[in-house]
Amino acid sequence: TVRARYLVAADGGRSAVRRALGIGMTGESVDPNPTLVADVRISGLDRDNWHVFPPREGDDLLAICPLAGTEDFQVMARFPEGAYVDTSPDGVRKVVAERSHLAAEDVTEVRWTSDFRPRAALADRFRSGRVFIAGDAAHVHSPAGGQGLNT
């Protein structure tokens, strides 16, 4: 048990603290197309370049970029609006194999996945009593815009 006079909720865009307080987020979807984002290990792929696979019929974009200072790559795969995004390790391997020259078994490890939907929103207020809302709990934006912290 922790007792404190104040709390700063910086627990992300899906903030449990913000929701428990009943503080809403006002905003809009930037892009209705869901995106699979995953940190993976891939054998046989060079780490000097981004690897971008343009859409083919029935598919959408796949991009694989090396994450500096790690052995990981980040996979980004767009899907049509309303599509189910399988974030399981087998789902990630399947997308990579279907949209690139790589085989499913080339993805040797799936370390983290997310079903990302770009959105821009702002908390309706930043304080409730002694609780303050900060960071992504207070505002979210596409990593391609805003402050560009992720780029």
Side-chain angles (χ1 to χ4, degrees), residues 76-90:
M76 295 156 284
R78 282 181 35 117
F79 290 84
E81 182 177 358
Y84 168 73
V85 178
D86 184 355
T87 58
S88 72
D90 286 340

Side-chain angles (χ1 to χ4, degrees), residues 4-5 11 28 31 33 37 42 48 62 71 89 107 119 126 132 144 151:
R5 289 190 171 150
D11 55 336
E28 62 187 23
D31 182 348
N33 297 54
V37 181
I42 298 177
D48 295 326
L62 171 70
E71 296 177 34
V107 180
R119 184 169 177 244
F126 302 113
F132 296 88
T151 57

Side-chain angles (χ1 to χ4, degrees), residues 105-119:
E105 57 270 12
D106 291 336
V107 180
T108 59
E109 188 176 347
V110 178
R111 302 174 58 80
W112 170 85
T113 64
S114 177
D115 174 356
F116 176 73
R117 295 163 195 267
R119 184 169 177 244

Side-chain angles (χ1 to χ4, degrees), residues 5-36:
R5 289 190 171 150
Y6 295 92
L7 171 69
V8 176
D11 55 336
R14 296 180 179 133
S15 173
V17 174
R18 186 188 67 243
R19 289 178 186 195
L21 293 170
I23 298 174
M25 291 280 274
T26 302
E28 62 187 23
S29 290
V30 174
D31 182 348
N33 297 54
T35 302
L36 169 69

Side-chain angles (χ1 to χ4, degrees), residues 117-140:
R117 295 163 195 267
R119 184 169 177 244
L122 187 64
D124 296 338
R125 62 186 197 275
F126 302 113
R127 180 180 178 192
S128 179
R130 294 183 179 191
V131 180
F132 296 88
I133 308 297
D136 284 352
H139 59 86
V140 293

Side-chain angles (χ1 to χ4, degrees), residues 34-99:
T35 302
L36 169 69
V37 181
D39 292 350
V40 302
R41 300 263 168 102
I42 298 177
S43 62
L45 194 61
D46 87 74
R47 299 191 52 79
D48 295 326
N49 300 289
W50 277 56
H51 305 272
V52 179
F53 303 91
R56 296 185 300 212
E57 189 171 330
D59 285 337
D60 207 326
L61 175 75
L62 171 70
I64 303 174
C65 72
L67 294 174
T70 73
E71 296 177 34
D72 298 346
F73 289 88
Q74 188 162 83
V75 170
M76 295 156 284
R78 282 181 35 117
F79 290 84
E81 182 177 358
Y84 168 73
V85 178
D86 184 355
T87 58
S88 72
D90 286 340
V92 173
R93 288 180 176 100
K94 181 180 177 187
V95 167
V96 169
E98 287 176 347
R99 298 187 187 187

